[in-house]
Amino acid sequence: VSLAAVWESVGVVPDAVVGHSQGEIAAAVVAGALSLEDGAWTVVLRSRVIAGSLAGVGGMVSVGVGLGEVEGLLPPGVSVAAVNGPSSVVVAGDVAGVDEVVARCEGLGVRVRRVAVDYASHSVHVEGVREELLRVLGPVVPRGGGVRVFSSVECGWVEGGVLDGGYWYRNLREPVLFAGAVERLAGEG
């Protein structure tokens, strides 16, 4: 049974889907741009690569200020990982750098919360596993899909057929532009 048939049977077909990081894989499955099997394999294989190669050398923290303010708090080795809203940004990087961001924020009275991971998604750390990710995700077969996909990587519309292994590497490496994606979708009605 296709997802399009499921949507039709319940009488609800979304205009678009958008997801945040790994949630974008789920969105692609819901859109029909990835089969359920390819979506599940993408999640599993990415997670295995993270656990095997990135775990233990990085971290992530959520900071309760806007993008402009957070950029002034970042030491070398830490970068913006996700822009979730006007005053919600996640940063990622080396453990020492992330610890420094936490200390700076606490000293300034800025809300800061550690994300419960020991790796730095959406940062330069991911570049070290690029070839491995491209190899394990090579068999992923994207397809057209029936629902439009709005990318939180590109902050724009993407065709389902481009959601191959290379896209899912970029989805893990590049910052998540979720706030911009939601803003643009709302602006388009």
Side-chain angles (χ1 to χ4, degrees):
V1 174
S2 74
L3 281 172
V6 172
W7 293 122
E8 302 268 337
S9 72
V10 295
V12 176
V13 179
D15 293 326
V17 295
V18 64
H20 187 291
S21 189
Q22 201 162 218
E24 192 168 24
I25 300 167
V29 170
V30 167
L34 287 180
S35 69
L36 180 58
E37 295 79 12
D38 276 347
W41 273 114
T42 301
V43 170
V44 168
L45 296 173
R46 256 179 40 157
S47 297
R48 283 184 185 165
V49 170
I50 289 169
S53 301
L54 295 179
V57 297
M60 301 175 77
V61 295
S62 174
V63 183
V65 295
L67 179 60
E69 283 182 80
V70 87
E71 289 175 330
L73 299 170
L74 302 182
V78 178
S79 61
V80 172
V83 181
N84 295 324
S87 60
S88 180
V89 177
V90 175
V91 300
D94 302 328
V95 172
V98 168
D99 289 345
E100 189 174 333
V101 170
V102 170
R104 286 178 181 179
C105 288
E106 289 174 347
L108 294 169
V110 171
R111 181 193 58 77
V112 63
R113 181 184 57 82
R114 290 183 187 274
V115 178
V117 297
D118 65 348
Y119 52 86
S121 292
H122 310 292
S123 78
V124 70
H125 285 219
V126 177
E127 291 175 10
V129 296
R130 180 180 184 275
E131 295 307 315
E132 185 178 1
L133 279 170
L134 292 176
R135 181 184 58 76
V136 301
L137 297 177
V140 171
V141 180
R143 29 192 213 187
V147 176
R148 297 188 312 162
V149 177
F150 198 90
S151 167
S152 60
V153 174
E154 313 246 343
C155 201
W157 296 105
V158 294
E159 297 296 322
V162 304
L163 302 177
D164 60 4
Y167 180 85
W168 298 116
Y169 161 74
R170 289 185 21 249
N171 169 275
L172 183 62
R173 166 57 185 100
E174 300 299 322
V176 179
L177 306 174
F178 194 70
V182 170
E183 186 177 304
R184 273 210 45 211
L185 281 171
E188 292 185 25

